[in-house]
């Protein structure tokens, strides 16, 4: 195992190079986050059992005609549905357990929302890859046991990544390694028999497919989720910490957006285009919130133009959270987004709108126009805060008239108090949010400050001086955007490099088994030329030469000379090996490329937009739909729908995957994660 280091708090029993903890992975870390992930894993298993019971009950309900049996089955279904709902609420509670992800320092900031990592089951690559190496590449598969073990160790390490850049780099390295594995071992015309199982991050329902795209998409989701956890972990009481938080959330949004645009047919709801669109908006909103905190961290000076700037920045944060809240309340994601998330987003939208109105009120109440002030600049700045001034008012008149300033200022204070009270009301409606003390403290302190400011104004008849409060135009000098992931910055070496150059030795191309050519040079002439890079090809073959008589063909690839592998050697290097033989017979191995049928697209489940409307549980099916062989259409794996609201049309039946025949355990390189291979020890 390379790049190894001991976990925190553990003494290394041997040198670092022999330690089995991969850099970026710490499976023994007893942190609040790891305990939370372990609870998620337990809930996933409970949900799976409930799903199986529900599937069996629904099958029995459809099969029986006995009224008494039907009544008993319906009663059982009601209990199972209730159990599933309770489990879903427990999982939602874990999703909103944001405290364990926050910075451990004392803070007075509204908590940020991270994403939990997707859970997965173990995958054994050994038999399928060894069989493919023997069948497709005609090589001794036992020589590649170490490479297969390294691949499995890397995947196992990715289940418990550390919450830092090393963890991100490890996940990216596995994602890039999957690209090599896909090209090496996954032909486009058939499946490899490797079953990938991933649990939905929000519902805990498993999705099983023999498609490597599910594995790649899930790793991408976890990269984005890990970035969100890094962002929430940053110290928001320092400028550097806030800069890192903004960067982390922008990178999280970039990864999730890349996932949405690249993998458009993922069968898991947490990776559906609609859900990813909401998550991208939420991460950008949190980045905008951190940018605002970064500006206000040194303190907000009670100065006219400074307050104008902070007003627009606060209004911008309120606007982006309002857009996130709108997206969360739309179909098809409305029923799957945690309730406390949508309420927290609504609270933040009201809170920052209230701050914007409070800042405007401070401008109007505390800064009367003086002879030394720049009248034109203040008029321009005030007018730019609104889309239009209240009826009967003009910006310059408001600045000069003390009564109008006070009336408009009090109108903004009333609006601020209304927004603060709404934020507190919504917070009180959600049990999970009521238990977050720092959230209650921030909202209460802001509310009291606005009330105090309002009470400081002169007593007057508000009913005779009511002014309709204008909306504040949002504006920011720190616009946040998605940061596209730069996978090329992580250097990864193909584990199966020894198979040869990927451009030639891939799963898309087929060759004959290696043939041995043994011949003598005639008058120092080979009878053929060599061309190409690695590996070299036979070119301009003389049909009368001795090599041709031994079965050498035009276009053959040379894979070894004198028993030495030369797949990665160029023309000059192969010629040097021929010359080094001297007068002895030359012996080398060649392969011939076979004609392959037109490649088809990888089979993948198709995401159904209408399925969220009846979202209760995902039903997994491993059998392929029958497709007319005469039609040239890509094969697709079935994707069954959820069915609480429409069971007659789409009753959810869980088709559990059967064990792959001949998938018995074989001897492989000892993995340090062998002790973690039980379902109860995921984290």
């Amino acid at each position: 195992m390379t790049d190894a280091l001991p976990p925190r708090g553990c003494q290394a029993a041997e040198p670092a190079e022999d330690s089995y903890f991969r850099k970026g992975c710490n499976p023994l870390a007893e942190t609040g986050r790891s305990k939370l992930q372990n609870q998620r894993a337990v809930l996933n298993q409970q949900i799976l059992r409930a799903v199986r019971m529900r599937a069996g009950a629904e099958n029995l309900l459809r099969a029986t005609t006995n009224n008494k049996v039907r009544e008993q089955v319906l009663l059982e279904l009601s209990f199972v549905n209730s159990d599933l709902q309770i489990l879903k609420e427990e999982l939602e509670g874990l999703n909103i357990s944001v405290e364990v992800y926050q910075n451990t320092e004392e803070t007075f900031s509204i908590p940020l929302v991270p994403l939990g990592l997707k859970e997965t089951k173990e995958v054994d690559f050994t038999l399928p890859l060894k069989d493919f190496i023997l069948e497709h590449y005609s090589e001794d598969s036992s020589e590649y046991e170490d490479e297969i073990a390294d691949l499995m160790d890397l995947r196992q390490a990715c289940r418990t990544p550390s919450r830092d850049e090393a963890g991100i780099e490890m996940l990216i390295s596995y994602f890039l390694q999957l690209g090599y594995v896909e090209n090496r071992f996954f032909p486009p015309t058939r499946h490899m028999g490797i079953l990938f199982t991933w649990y939905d991050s929000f519902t805990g329902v498993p999705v099983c497919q023999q498609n490597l795209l599910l594995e790649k998409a899930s790793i991408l989701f976890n990269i984005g989720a890990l970035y969100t956890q890094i962002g929430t972990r940053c110290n928001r009481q320092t400028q550097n910490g806030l800069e890192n938080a903004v960067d982390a959330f922008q990178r999280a949004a970039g990864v999730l957006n890349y996932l949405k645009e690249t993998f458009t047919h993922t069968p898991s709801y947490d990776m559906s285009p609609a859900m990813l669109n909401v998550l991208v908006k939420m991460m950008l909103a949190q980045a905008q919130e951190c940018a605002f905190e970064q500006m206000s961290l040194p303190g907000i000076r009670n100065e006219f133009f400074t307050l104008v700037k902070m007003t627009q920045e606060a209004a911008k944060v309120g606007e982006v959270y309002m857009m996130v809240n709108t997206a969360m309340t739309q179909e098809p994601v409305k029923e799957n987004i945690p309730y406390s998330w949508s309420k927290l987003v609504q609270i933040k939208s009201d809170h920052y709108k209230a701050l914007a109105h409070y800042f405007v009120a401070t401008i109007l109440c505390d800064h009367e126009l003086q002879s030394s002030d720049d009248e034109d600049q203040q008029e321009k700045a005030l007018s730019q805060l609104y889309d239009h001034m209240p009826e009967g008012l003009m910006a310059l008149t408001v600045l000069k008239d003390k009564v109008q300033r006070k009336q408009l200022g009090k109108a903004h204070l009333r609006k601020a108090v209304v927004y603060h009270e709404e934020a507190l009301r919504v917070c009180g409606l959600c049990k999970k949010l009521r238990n977050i003390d720092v959230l209650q403290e921030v909202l209460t302190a802001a509310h009291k400050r606005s009330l105090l400011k309002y009470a400081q104004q002169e007593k007057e008849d508000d009913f005779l001086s009511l002014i309709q409060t204008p909306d504040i135009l949002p504006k920011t000098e720190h616009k946040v955007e998605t940061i596209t992931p730069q996978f090329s910055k992580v250097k990864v070496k193909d584990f199966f490099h020894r198979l040869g150059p990927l451009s030639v030795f891939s799963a898309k191309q087929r060759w004959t088994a290696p043939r041995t050519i043994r011949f003598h040079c005639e008058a120092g002439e080979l009878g053929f030329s060599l061309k190409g890079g690695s590996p070299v090809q036979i070119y301009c073959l003389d049909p009368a030469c001795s090599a041709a008589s031994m079965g050498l063909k035009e276009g053959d690839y040379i894979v070894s000379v004198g028993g030495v592998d030369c797949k990665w050697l160029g023309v000059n290097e192969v010629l040097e090996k021929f010359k080094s033989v001297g007068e002895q017979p030359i012996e080398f191995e060649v392969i011939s490329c076979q004609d392959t049928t037109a490649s088809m697209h990888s089979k993948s489940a198709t995401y159904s937009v209408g399925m969220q409307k009846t979202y209760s549980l995902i039903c997994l099916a491993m059998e392929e739909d029958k497709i007319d062989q005469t039609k040239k259409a890509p094969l697709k794996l079935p994707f069954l729908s959820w069915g609480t609201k429409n069971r007659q049309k789409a009753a959810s039946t869980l088709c559990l995957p059967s064990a792959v025949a001949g998938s018995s355990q074989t001897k492989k390189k000892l993995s340090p994660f062998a002790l973690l291979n039980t379902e109860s020890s995921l984290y």
Side-chain angles (χ1 to χ4, degrees):
M1 183 74 66
T2 57
D3 297 331
L5 51 84
R8 293 180 181 177
C10 297
Q11 296 296 326
E14 50 191 10
E17 60 269 14
D18 297 327
S19 178
Y20 53 78
F21 289 115
R22 182 182 294 272
K23 183 179 180 181
C25 167
N26 194 354
L28 300 183
E30 285 297 326
T31 63
R33 182 181 67 119
S34 64
K35 295 177 182 178
L36 194 64
Q37 289 291 121
N38 194 42
Q39 294 176 26
R40 290 167 61 90
V42 173
L43 275 178
N44 287 336
Q45 297 301 314
Q46 294 176 347
I47 290 174
L48 179 58
R49 285 194 294 268
V51 165
R52 289 173 174 172
M53 293 179 61
R54 174 179 174 143
E58 288 182 341
N59 288 336
L60 181 58
L61 185 64
R62 286 193 296 269
T64 186
T65 56
N66 188 306
N67 291 334
K68 186 175 181 180
V69 173
R70 289 180 65 86
E71 291 178 1
Q72 293 177 346
V73 172
L74 287 173
L75 180 61
E76 181 69 22
L77 271 177
S78 65
F79 282 114
V80 173
N81 287 332
S82 299
D83 191 27
L84 279 172
Q85 184 63 31
I86 292 173
L87 292 174
K88 181 180 178 182
E89 291 176 358
E90 290 182 13
L91 189 60
E92 179 183 329
L94 295 183
N95 286 332
I96 196 56
S97 299
V98 296
E99 293 91 342
V100 300
Y101 295 97
Q102 310 300 316
N103 187 270
T104 55
E105 302 292 335
E106 288 293 331
T107 180
F108 195 68
S109 304
I110 299 179
L112 300 170
V113 176
L115 295 177
L117 300 179
K118 289 174 68 69
E119 304 282 350
T120 182
K121 286 187 175 181
E122 291 185 3
V123 173
D124 190 353
F125 291 100
T126 307
L127 284 179
L129 296 194
K130 290 180 70 173
D131 289 346
F132 194 82
I133 290 173
L134 179 61
E135 170 202 344
H136 189 81
Y137 294 101
S138 300
E139 294 200 26
D140 184 2
S141 57
S142 62
E143 296 182 358
Y144 290 87
E145 289 182 353
D146 286 349
E147 286 83 348
I148 296 175
D150 285 339
L151 177 64
M152 294 174 62
D153 288 347
L154 178 57
R155 186 185 191 274
Q156 182 68 31
C158 287
R159 300 176 70 182
T160 54
S162 58
R163 188 168 34 181
D164 50 27
E165 286 299 324
I168 293 290
E169 184 174 340
M170 182 183 64
L171 289 176
I172 292 178
S173 65
Y174 179 60
F175 176 76
L176 296 177
Q177 197 66 240
L178 287 176
Y180 290 120
V181 172
E182 181 179 22
N183 288 324
R184 295 281 193 192
F185 301 106
F186 285 78
T189 54
R190 65 183 177 92
H191 287 304
M192 285 291 294
I194 302 176
L195 186 65
F196 300 99
T197 301
W198 286 87
Y199 293 89
D200 191 288
S201 179
F202 297 116
T203 66
V205 176
V207 175
C208 303
Q209 280 195 350
Q210 296 185 37
N211 197 334
L212 191 67
L213 294 181
L214 174 63
E215 180 89 349
K216 296 175 71 175
S218 299
I219 291 296
L220 273 180
F221 184 92
N222 278 358
I223 293 174
L226 197 57
Y227 268 127
T228 67
Q229 295 181 13
I230 292 174
T232 57
R233 187 67 173 174
C234 293
N235 186 356
R236 293 158 66 192
Q237 304 305 308
T238 65
Q239 286 287 348
N240 186 55
L242 286 168
E243 288 178 4
N244 293 335
V246 172
D247 181 74
F249 284 117
Q250 289 183 112
R251 292 184 183 277
V255 172
L256 295 174
N257 189 62
Y258 177 82
L259 173 59
K260 180 187 69 173
E261 294 178 350
T262 307
F263 299 88
T264 57
H265 299 291
T266 49
S268 182
Y269 280 104
D270 55 358
M271 297 190 293
S272 66
M275 181 65 76
L276 290 175
N277 184 58
V278 171
L279 295 180
V280 169
K281 289 180 182 294
M282 185 168 71
M283 297 312 146
L284 290 178
Q286 295 191 137
Q288 192 72 58
E289 180 182 7
C290 291
F292 174 81
E293 292 180 350
Q294 189 177 357
M295 296 175 59
S296 57
L297 183 63
I300 302 174
R301 291 190 302 117
N302 194 353
E303 187 267 334
F304 187 94
F305 294 104
T306 300
L307 290 174
V308 168
K309 178 181 178 181
M310 297 306 298
T311 296
Q312 294 175 320
E313 294 286 348
K316 182 63 179 180
V317 179
E319 180 193 47
V320 294
Y321 271 117
M322 181 182 66
M323 294 172 63
V324 175
N325 183 48
T326 301
M328 285 183 172
T329 56
Q330 302 297 317
E331 295 288 353
V333 300
K334 180 173 66 174
E335 297 182 5
N336 306 321
I337 283 286
Y339 174 77
S340 44
W341 282 17
S342 61
K343 292 306 174 187
L344 181 59
V345 166
Q346 183 180 347
I347 289 170
K348 289 190 176 186
S349 176
D350 291 334
H351 174 69
Y352 284 101
K353 288 179 181 177
L355 289 183
H357 285 284
Y358 175 81
F359 291 147
V360 177
T362 304
I363 292 173
L364 296 172
C365 297
D366 294 358
H367 296 280
E368 295 185 6
L369 188 63
Q370 305 294 331
S371 57
S372 59
D373 294 333
D374 191 331
E375 183 178 296
D376 293 337
Q377 289 296 325
Q378 288 198 10
E379 177 188 7
K380 181 179 178 182
L382 184 62
S383 61
Q384 288 179 347
L385 286 177
Y386 309 119
D387 185 16
H388 58 83
M389 293 292 294
E391 185 177 355
L393 297 181
M394 298 181 64
L396 184 59
T397 306
V398 170
L399 290 173
K400 292 183 176 181
D401 192 316
K402 182 177 180 180
V403 176
Q404 289 189 6
R405 287 176 69 104
K406 192 176 295 290
Q407 289 177 350
L408 184 57
K410 293 191 70 174
H412 279 289
L413 282 175
R414 283 193 294 269
K415 193 73 169 181
V417 171
V418 168
Y419 276 125
H420 282 310
E421 291 177 346
E422 177 64 13
L424 287 169
R425 184 190 71 84
V426 174
C427 185
L429 291 176
C430 182
K431 180 181 178 180
K432 301 295 182 182
L433 298 180
R434 287 200 305 267
N435 296 329
I436 302 179
D437 294 336
V438 67
L439 176 61
Q440 292 280 359
E441 292 174 5
V442 171
L443 297 180
T444 302
H447 181 224
K448 289 181 178 179
R449 184 177 60 179
S450 295
L451 286 175
L452 179 62
K453 189 74 173 179
Y454 188 83
Q456 290 174 351
Q457 306 308 309
E458 294 180 2
K459 300 291 184 180
E460 57 184 75
D461 192 350
D462 290 337
F463 291 99
L464 300 179
S465 60
L466 287 179
I467 297 178
Q468 184 177 5
T469 311
D471 293 330
I472 300 172
L473 292 178
K475 182 181 179 182
T476 181
E477 296 179 359
H478 302 272
K479 185 178 180 180
V480 297
E481 296 178 341
T482 60
I483 298 179
T484 305
Q486 301 293 327
F487 297 126
S488 59
K489 291 185 177 181
V490 179
K491 302 303 180 182
V492 175
K493 182 180 179 181
D494 182 9
F495 281 157
F496 301 91
H497 177 84
R498 291 192 293 132
L499 287 175
L502 189 58
S503 59
V504 175
F505 297 95
S506 69
K508 296 180 181 179
Q509 301 187 51
R510 295 188 62 84
W511 310 268
T512 61
R515 309 189 310 277
T516 301
I517 306 297
R518 182 184 177 89
F519 73 104
H520 289 272
C521 290
E522 300 174 356
E525 296 292 335
L526 293 174
F528 56 85
S529 300
L530 302 179
K531 70 172 184 177
S534 305
V536 298
Q537 277 185 284
I538 302 300
Y539 176 64
C540 293
L541 175 65
D542 183 359
C545 69
S546 61
S549 63
M550 294 296 296
L552 188 64
K553 300 177 182 178
E554 184 86 11
D556 281 352
Y557 291 96
I558 299 179
V559 294
S560 69
V561 176
V564 179
D565 186 276
C566 61
K567 298 188 190 76
W568 287 97
L569 300 184
V571 172
N572 293 333
E573 295 167 306
V574 173
L575 288 176
E576 286 295 327
K577 287 191 173 293
F578 282 159
K579 292 178 181 179
S580 64
V581 176
E583 297 180 356
Q584 299 295 324
I586 299 177
E587 184 176 300
F588 61 97
E589 289 186 338
V590 297
I591 57 174
S592 300
C593 184
Q594 296 178 336
D595 292 335
T596 56
T597 58
S599 62
M600 297 188 299
H601 295 292
S602 297
K603 306 179 183 71
S604 63
T606 302
Y607 181 79
S608 175
V609 176
M611 292 171 57
Q612 292 95 345
K613 296 181 180 179
T614 57
Y615 184 47
S616 62
L617 58 94
I618 292 181
C619 305
L620 312 174
M622 301 310 300
E623 295 183 357
E624 299 180 359
D625 292 335
K626 295 182 179 179
I627 298 179
D628 188 354
Q629 298 297 329
T630 60
K631 297 180 180 179
K632 295 182 179 179
L635 298 176
K636 294 182 179 179
L637 290 176
F639 182 73
L640 306 183
S641 60
W642 296 54
T644 50
K645 298 182 180 178
N646 194 5
R647 286 185 202 145
Q648 288 79 8
K649 292 184 179 180
S652 55
T653 304
L654 180 67
C655 300
L656 298 176
S658 58
V660 180
S663 59
S664 60
Q665 294 291 333
T666 59
K667 184 178 179 181
K668 71 177 187 72
K669 188 176 70 173
L670 179 61
S671 168
F673 297 99
L675 300 178
L676 305 175
N677 285 347
T678 60
E679 289 297 328
S680 61
S681 303
L682 291 179
Y683 283 88

